Amino acid sequence: METLNPRILDVEYAVRGPIVIRAAEIEKQIKGGNHSFPFDRVIRANIGDCHASGNQVPVTYIRQFLAGCTYPPLMDSPDFPSDIKQKVERLLSVCGGKSLGAYTESQGLIAVREDIATYIQERDGYPADTSDIYLCNGASDGIKTVIKLLMNNDATKPSGIMIPVPQYPLYSATLSEYGAHQIGYYLDEDNNWALDIDELERAINAAKDRCTPRGIVIINPGNPTGQVLSRENIENVVRFAHKHRLFILADEVYQENVYLPGSKFFSFKKALMDLGAPFNQMEMASFHSASKGWHGECGSRGGYYELINIDKDVRVQVNKLISASLCSAAWGQAMMGAIINPPKEGEPSYELYKKERLDIVNRLKQKAELVSKLFNSVEGVKCNAVMGAMYAFPRIELPEKVINHAKSKNMAPDAFYCFQLLEKTGICVVPGSGFKQKPGTHHFRTTILPPVDQMADMVEKFRTFHMEFLREWK
Amino acid sequence: METLNPRILDVEYAVRGPIVIRAAEIEKQIKGGNHSFPFDRVIRANIGDCHASGNQVPVTYIRQFLAGCTYPPLMDSPDFPSDIKQKVERLLSVCGGKSLGAYTESQGLIAVREDIATYIQERDGYPADTSDIYLCNGASDGIKTVIKLLMNNDATKPSGIMIPVPQYPLYSATLSEYGAHQIGYYLDEDNNWALDIDELERAINAAKDRCTPRGIVIINPGNPTGQVLSRENIENVVRFAHKHRLFILADEVYQENVYLPGSKFFSFKKALMDLGAPFNQMEMASFHSASKGWHGECGSRGGYYELINIDKDVRVQVNKLISASLCSAAWGQAMMGAIINPPKEGEPSYELYKKERLDIVNRLKQKAELVSKLFNSVEGVKCNAVMGAMYAFPRIELPEKVINHAKSKNMAPDAFYCFQLLEKTGICVVPGSGFKQKPGTHHFRTTILPPVDQMADMVEKFRTFHMEFLREWK
């Protein structure tokens, strides 16, 4: 331990932290025949993992495409849809030896990058260049690469990156690993987690003595907070970033996950371009992932980022850096390609695809609405509307006695609460402190992924637990 | 550029460096109808990419397994081999929602880790523990993680890692990125790239003022050098590492690629265990990959490492660190699983598997022998035997005039040579300087992957070029 890289000690990642490790232990014990728990199964609401939720099967079109890429003789079957066959052949035609088993270009297969460019152009109304697009092993991999570029620490002043609070813990973990300074800006919980520009100014000014601010992360739709930023809000963030010469990291992995009627996703790229000069020359990266959306192919670790307005010498360096890991997984690239370029009306695989999509999307919408309603029905719990993404981040009022007790055990009060919740009900959620939160407030993050009936059941179990907990610790 | 992470400027990765970028440009121009080159296609001998070599198709068993995991309804066909079906079902039974689309455990799917443990036990005769095994996105990803653990730089003394010279450039690139010190030890070219313990002592002593040595990398079979270390040699390296308290990083990704009659692969783990106490308590990591072997599934980015004798508190930190990237790609894990646990005699898919394996392995053996013979037949070229791996690393004598000319252009002399070779013949190889080499010597790395007829043709083209080059620069 005394020679271990000391920065690793500072890394924290609550989404797979001690509570989740304990949940896995309990699951193993139950599977092994231990009936001593006051529940018969663990409800996994800790991670945005659609397929694992037991509520969602993979999309036929996506898996047929990937199976065809994997083992092309399959396509000789007359049952194999002709549109998918064409797509497979196009993809394999740009692979070395027409095999996904060859290394790809370091930026990713050109056919996939072409499809991503088309998707972005259709989304924003502005062209995208395939040489700006980088496939990666999940958005996490891309985010770590881009943050790495911005690290220019010196002995007296590390690089600083602005991150929302609450945030997704990949950011705090990565900044710890790189020895960078986290400049937290608070989202406004009383205003449905809105992003306030005055708060950005406060945060950057407070941090300037301790670091050199280099970038700002925005997660939109929000994780763990589920808000969807308005176009005006995004434009003000762009102006702020321009004023302070910050590189924009737009974490837009939930761009397809918008539920609240009237809410709409606007990309940071579109905001930059709409604003015109000088904003449309700002450097930024936008991240997307195969793991989220409604298809939820997390295990593929497919993802990409678009790097916009990067200096040409810097681009040479980026391309060199990523080439040292050769390329991202070709299967993940193929997955990202399948997701970004779905069947079109009239194509043989369209009708089934449309039906499967509607089923999943409707369920997600229903659950997004249900979850905040259910939690708000519990005394002492306040839950903002889930406008997008896959999570609710309810606030819980904890008695002073709990807070003191947890502190005496060197635990965050909400971590103590979540451990108790797990041990008594089998519900596994992530403590708000793992995402950071305003001092003195307490939360947890739950996904909206369990099936509707399980979710109602989960909230009832939660209600009983919460009431007893408050009684016990009053 | 002035705010870019300065360590990235130091990163170099020749396997995808300027010559390879130029080769891709030429290929594009030829494809676009440009006939001004004195050749009609580029011969890609720069990278160990079996499928892209145009000489090798994927193994049926591996791809059927992966297609079944991807799209399980395929297995309803009576043509789907029953042994593969059983394997698919076993793998999916440990996936969330029985889908490869779920995140896996951060260390990787337990079924794959069980198969890897069995493979290691059968290889070494010592048990392997599934909790010591970590799946990763290609060996590169695992190597970077383990080196990260060893980074304990302070302002005056960075961590130092011993690497062979010549080395695989992932190591120098990673150490540059992490700000660590490279302690190069020379392999003995005159003695078929043997690893000399006196040279290890010289290297570590020479570096002790500049860094704190923390680990030693050994690549066996060697890349780019193709040697296979003897058991005695390995044991002496273990003793050396023990004396200097170095963490052993055993890059054993070519463990299935041994060609020379009489050569045999011994793992570092087996050496540690055979030596008994205190050596069998040393910390080490061994890396393996789905990309190499004879099946060459590079695009999957499947890989694993076994971490042996790690302190239990350090293990908690490792597991936390990798959890922040969630997990490696499930398809790459499945690929690694397929490779490590092939069909057994008597199983339905065995006969075809055996035939395909023999075909490929025999061709590789044939080419390994052929390539050194061919290069040694060229005047001024000396090439050691290719005992294993996928490469030859011939030495070329360059005239003083070339060396001075290259230096005046701020180029390594062998890089200048390889650029000329590419422009005149279309042969794309990697300059030896990209792997480092003894000062004053010049080499290039070529793979043994092109088809036999192409390889003979390639060496003839090379011979003509080389003779003309020497005449021109005498």
Side-chain angles (χ1 to χ4, degrees), chain A residues 201-261:
Chain A
E201 292 284 359
R202 181 206 62 75
I204 200 169
N205 286 326
K208 273 186 172 163
D209 285 348
R210 274 168 295 160
C211 68
T212 309
R214 301 232 179 257
I216 179 169
V217 171
I218 308 98
I219 312 177
N220 178 45
N223 177 5
T225 42
Q227 84 283 22
V228 178
L229 299 183
S230 72
R231 179 179 186 154
E232 193 196 351
N233 207 178
I234 292 170
E235 289 180 351
N236 286 333
V237 175
V238 171
R239 289 192 185 94
F240 169 84
H242 184 264
K243 177 180 162 191
H244 294 279
R245 303 196 59 197
L246 298 176
F247 188 106
I248 295 174
L249 293 105
D251 179 339
E252 303 180 322
V253 300
Y254 295 100
Q255 59 190 271
E256 303 282 343
N257 297 88
V258 176
Y259 312 114
L260 199 75

Side-chain angles (χ1 to χ4, degrees), chain A residues 414-429:
Chain A
D414 53 11
F416 176 78
Y417 178 89
C418 291
F419 260 114
Q420 293 288 311
L421 178 67
L422 172 64
E423 298 289 345
K424 301 227 161 122
T425 66
I427 298 170
C428 179
V429 295

Side-chain angles (χ1 to χ4, degrees), chain A residues 191-330:
Chain A
N191 201 4
N192 216 23
W193 301 113
L195 201 172
D196 178 30
I197 305 299
D198 291 342
E199 167 59 14
L200 294 181
E201 292 284 359
R202 181 206 62 75
I204 200 169
N205 286 326
K208 273 186 172 163
D209 285 348
R210 274 168 295 160
C211 68
T212 309
R214 301 232 179 257
I216 179 169
V217 171
I218 308 98
I219 312 177
N220 178 45
N223 177 5
T225 42
Q227 84 283 22
V228 178
L229 299 183
S230 72
R231 179 179 186 154
E232 193 196 351
N233 207 178
I234 292 170
E235 289 180 351
N236 286 333
V237 175
V238 171
R239 289 192 185 94
F240 169 84
H242 184 264
K243 177 180 162 191
H244 294 279
R245 303 196 59 197
L246 298 176
F247 188 106
I248 295 174
L249 293 105
D251 179 339
E252 303 180 322
V253 300
Y254 295 100
Q255 59 190 271
E256 303 282 343
N257 297 88
V258 176
Y259 312 114
L260 199 75
S263 288
K264 190 176 174 331
F265 168 77
F266 284 99
S267 76
F268 268 80
K269 183 182 179 189
K270 182 169 167 58
L272 236 69
M273 296 299 160
D274 281 354
L275 283 170
F279 305 102
N280 62 5
Q281 285 138 42
M282 287 171 69
E283 294 171 308
M284 71 159 277
S286 163
F287 304 91
H288 197 13
S289 168
S291 304
K292 308 305 171 187
W294 50 273
H295 32 73
E297 291 280 7
C298 314
S300 73
R301 314 305 284 122
Y304 76 84
Y305 51 101
E306 186 187 18
L307 269 184
I308 300 159
N309 293 326
I310 301 299
D311 175 90
K312 75 176 191 329
D313 293 333
V314 172
R315 180 188 296 285
V316 171
Q317 296 295 321
V318 175
N319 292 1
K320 181 188 71 177
L321 178 69
I322 60 166
S323 78
S325 295
L326 289 163
C327 63
S328 65

Side-chain angles (χ1 to χ4, degrees), chain A residues 90-102:
Chain A
R90 172 168 165 260
L91 189 76
L92 293 182
S93 76
V94 298
C95 294
K98 300 200 175 182
S99 167
L100 278 190

Side-chain angles (χ1 to χ4, degrees), chain A residues 51 63 70 99 148 177 299 330, chain B residues 51 63 70 99 148 177 299 330:
Chain A
H51 296 194
R63 293 306 187 93
T70 302
S99 167
K148 190 183 292 169
E177 186 187 321
Chain B
H51 297 193
R63 294 307 186 91
T70 303
S99 167
K148 191 183 291 169
E177 188 189 318

Side-chain angles (χ1 to χ4, degrees), chain B residues 128-140:
Chain B
D129 190 327
T130 53
S131 63
D132 286 344
I133 294 164
Y134 293 76
L135 276 297
C136 48
N137 289 318
S140 302

